[in-house]
Amino acid sequence: MHAKSSQKDSPALDALTFKMHSSQKEPNKVASFSAGENKPSDLLRVFYEGFIAGGFAGVVVEAALYPIDTIKTRLQAAQGGGKIILKDLYSGLAGNLAGVLPASAIFVGVYEPTKQKLLKSFPENLSAVAHLTAGAIGGAASSLVRVPTEVIKQRLQTGQFASAPDAVRLIVAKEGFKGLYVGYGSFLLRDLPFDAIQFCIYEQIRIGYRLAARRDLNDPENAIIGAFAGAITGAITTPLDVIKTRLMVQGSANQYKGICDCVRTIVKEEGSHALLKGIGPRVLWIGIGGSIFFGVLERTKQILAQKRPPSQNSTPFKDQL
């Protein structure tokens, strides 16, 4: 198996290489392994492979878990003792996939080369900071697509519109173009920490696991680590998700004047426990989603790596252990 930058089996291989560098008896191998990362063509290839793998993984996980996400959204949007409707759970899926595909592609496409550049800039013991920062940058880049997609999806899930085209047309007509970006601040407040924490947990566990096992991880192991990272991050960020949902589904009514007002209103009218609404479906959804996403992501990157010309591959990872 070959390993280089966004390697076929390792999104965390750069950090792992740094760790191995201090323990290997053959440092020249590791040095030559990392040296090629400075080439612009390498970063472009990493972006391309991340773009393709991220887009495919995002579509697969969104299609598989959309009903759970719909239930979570309806739980969070319901105020007081409102009933939760358990029908039309795939409402808005097609339109959402049209946004998820480019958003996931942009995220991973930006995350991978950014991570590699940061790993070379940070000391070995700060690799987690590199992963956190790269995750936040990737999330910020993809937010330009993710926010309108999320607004339309959640309006469809709560039954406000019949189709994605209708949602876009009516939102723009009633609220202006800015209506597609309502809740943008709360979205960033939730998703930048979420992306950063989830990918950092995933990458750090993979680094430790591979150093201990001294081998590449298999698909089930990638999936288990992805599920753990997703579930933990999903639970931590649930209050931020509730706030984001309330702001995005309020429409032109403008019930909330902003993030702080939303928090005060929810706590005052429904109690602080309302900030944890939907935590069960959210943890389930993101835990399973993390398993599927990272499993598909790693497998797709392996397939893409196998299609590289031999000149773009370097010393086999197993030979460096």
Side-chain angles (χ1 to χ4, degrees), residues 211-284:
L211 284 171
R214 299 181 64 80
R215 61 171 174 79
D216 291 308
L217 276 66
N218 56 40
D219 290 342
E221 289 168 336
N222 285 325
I224 291 172
I225 294 173
F228 179 79
I232 294 298
T233 311
I236 293 173
T237 58
T238 294
L240 301 177
D241 189 48
V242 172
I243 296 167
K244 185 263 324 175
T245 298
R246 291 293 182 90
L247 289 172
M248 283 187 168
V249 303
Q250 67 177 333
S252 58
N254 290 324
Q255 178 183 0
Y256 308 111
K257 296 181 176 64
I259 295 174
C260 293
D261 180 62
C262 182
V263 174
R264 283 194 299 266
T265 303
I266 291 174
V267 172
K268 179 181 178 180
E269 297 181 355
E270 305 172 53
S272 58
H273 65 277
L275 292 173
L276 294 177
K277 275 190 172 183
I279 188 172
R282 177 172 169 79
V283 170
L284 175 64

Side-chain angles (χ1 to χ4, degrees), residues 21 28 67 73 83 89 93-94 106 119 141 161 169 176 179-180 189 194 202 214 230 250-251 254-255 269 272 301 314:
H21 182 74
N28 290 335
T73 297
K83 293 183 178 180
L89 297 181
L93 175 61
I106 291 171
L119 284 172
F161 303 106
R169 179 173 55 84
L180 294 174
L189 180 66
F194 178 90
Y202 175 74
R214 299 181 64 80
Q250 67 177 333
N254 290 324
Q255 178 183 0
E269 297 181 355
S272 58
K301 287 168 65 178
S314 58

